[in-house]
Amino acid sequence: MSRNFSDTGSRKEHVKVTSEAKPGFLERLSETSGGMLIGLVTFLLSFYVLFTNEGRALRTAKSLDEGLSLVIPLDNIHSVSQQNEGRLVHLAGALSTSKPLFDPSYGVSIQAVKLKRNVEMYQWVEYEESTKKDTEWKSEVVNSRNFDREIGHKNPSAMAVESFTAVSPNVQVGSFVLSKGLVDKIDDFKQLSLSNLEDPHADVTRGGDYFYHSENPRRPEVGDLRVSFFYAGLSGDDPHLGSADKVTVIARQRGDQLVPYHTKSGDVLHILYPGDLSAEAAHNGVCLQEVFQKEHESNTMKTWALRAAGWLAMFVGISLMTRIFYTLVDWFPVVRDLVNIGLKAFAFCVASSLSLLTISVGWLFHRPLWALLIALLSVVPVVVAKSRVPPKKQQ
């Protein structure tokens, strides 16, 4: 026993021990009432998510089909043809910017679309599960006032150096200028190697791909900083990083600018993918179809994700609204467990049926036959649940 106590004391750890009184029946009933209100809001929100998601999915699919039928591949990206004014165009080429991005504080310069400075501070971190504390590099300030015990584990309230992202004001592919929406899609950041740079200041030391504000980077102290850099969209040939990144763009031509294209279905097309998806294959439509196929796949994944989120919100909402029945029989363990299983099964069946029914309503004005089939499918969970109920014995 004495050895265990001495070990615990040497670790400089502490454990928070709390005791709470078991809530009474009225208190649990009050909490259940609040949960019912939250459940009702979640239940109603699920209808909105499911219904609007179907309309969005169909609108996006129609817009992509419309875009594929109208898009014009550009053979020459270095000249602007007035014949394509206002039309949906497809082009691919290397990124270019007017001037390099520069961070004078550290002497970092790169010809790219985006340059991100990431600053981390060595700080105390408390783990919620055990209230244990350790030191880590974190890019956000950890408020040590929220610790169970701040004494001896205090973090600075701010960083002396801030993170930021610089974006080139003028990004082009050939003679065409990309809109802000297209530039925002260039977000494939890669860490910049600092091996060819010198220490910018006497109090800053370079170690690997980091600049350290520390007396000893190998043994940092709380409050020390380290700075790293990331870039996205290399826009010029670099002897260390290689040639400029290429992108494929589908957007509306407005003068020498590439801007969003508004489809008849009410959606917007302004697509950007990394890599050259045109080249020779674009003449027979192979790579062009590949771009639109990727967009269709992305739309399908988003649709199913929102369907799952809508169903889950409905299931949780129904479970919270029916929780009161569980609370009423909480004093009877056997009955409580049976009621809990029954309520979960009820929530599952009702959520499944109502979700399918809501989805069918979303399809009603677009594809009535599919809407009818999905509406019929919504009855299946109820029929299956009813078939599992044992019939009453005849008297």
Side-chain angles (χ1 to χ4, degrees), residues 297-353:
E297 292 173 357
S298 176
N299 181 41
T300 301
M301 291 180 60
K302 183 177 181 180
T303 301
W304 279 104
L306 288 174
R307 284 172 180 168
W311 177 87
L312 182 61
M314 187 172 292
F315 175 80
V316 172
I318 295 173
S319 298
L320 289 173
M321 288 191 294
T322 57
R323 184 72 178 175
I324 189 171
F325 297 106
Y326 177 86
T327 304
L328 292 174
V329 297
D330 192 17
W331 300 103
F332 310 100
V334 177
V335 178
R336 177 187 61 196
D337 294 340
L338 292 175
V339 169
N340 186 42
I341 295 173
L343 291 176
K344 289 291 187 293
F346 173 79
F348 180 86
C349 292
V350 174
S352 300
S353 294

Side-chain angles (χ1 to χ4, degrees), residues 114 179-187:
K114 297 177 182 178
S179 66
K180 182 181 181 300
L182 292 172
V183 173
D184 290 341
K185 294 177 182 290
I186 303 174
D187 56 2

